[in-house]
Amino acid sequence: MRSLTKVRLSRARLLLWARYSASSVVATVVSQVAFALCYWFGTPALVATLVAWIAGAVPNYVLNRRWTWGRGGQKLPYTIIVIGSAATAALVTSLTDHFVQPLESHAWKTVLVSGSYLATYAVLFIVKFWLFDRLVFAKPAVSADAAEARTPVAT
């Protein structure tokens, strides 16, 4: 019986991971397109990062809240995590933008700076899952009284 519970738990975690991944892919595509377009048309890297972050944050939150975890989360920890992610991406893209300035090709600059934006979120992907799972969308702890009330008593 215990191994059957472990299998169900593993399936549930795998499904949660798959949904989180799918939600992240949607948000990544939206934000990556927004970033690349903004940067291509001359928007500074910092501003392009902020536009892209807003464009991706909305579907990311809605999909994670309603589909991935299926419940509302703590808004303050979520806000801190996503703003921290945006600040990290802004720093990385601004630094990359600075380093690619000697290049002649605007297309290569766009590819490299957009790539740094994508790479930042790729690195943060696992960290954000862990933080969302443990802090933002964590199931409330079961109190001892509630657990006792559900425990059958032998008569």
Side-chain angles (χ1 to χ4, degrees), residues 10-25 64 67-68 125 129:
S10 296
R11 279 191 191 153
R13 295 301 291 174
L14 188 59
L15 182 59
L16 180 70
W17 181 258
R19 286 182 175 174
Y20 173 74
S21 298
S23 298
S24 294
V25 166
N64 278 327
W67 186 56
T68 304
F125 176 77
F129 175 81

Side-chain angles (χ1 to χ4, degrees), residues 47-112:
V47 176
T49 299
L50 295 176
V51 169
W53 172 73
I54 291 168
V58 173
N60 192 34
Y61 180 74
V62 171
L63 287 170
N64 278 327
R65 180 175 176 248
R66 296 190 181 186
W67 186 56
T68 304
W69 277 274
R71 63 183 168 278
Q74 302 290 323
K75 289 181 180 52
L76 181 60
Y78 179 83
T79 303
I80 292 168
I81 292 164
V82 296
I83 288 175
S85 299
T88 303
L91 176 66
V92 170
T93 56
S94 294
L95 287 171
T96 306
D97 180 56
H98 174 74
F99 288 121
V100 300
Q101 287 311 306
L103 295 177
E104 300 268 335
S105 170
H106 183 65
W108 274 111
K109 288 179 187 178
T110 302
V111 167
L112 293 171

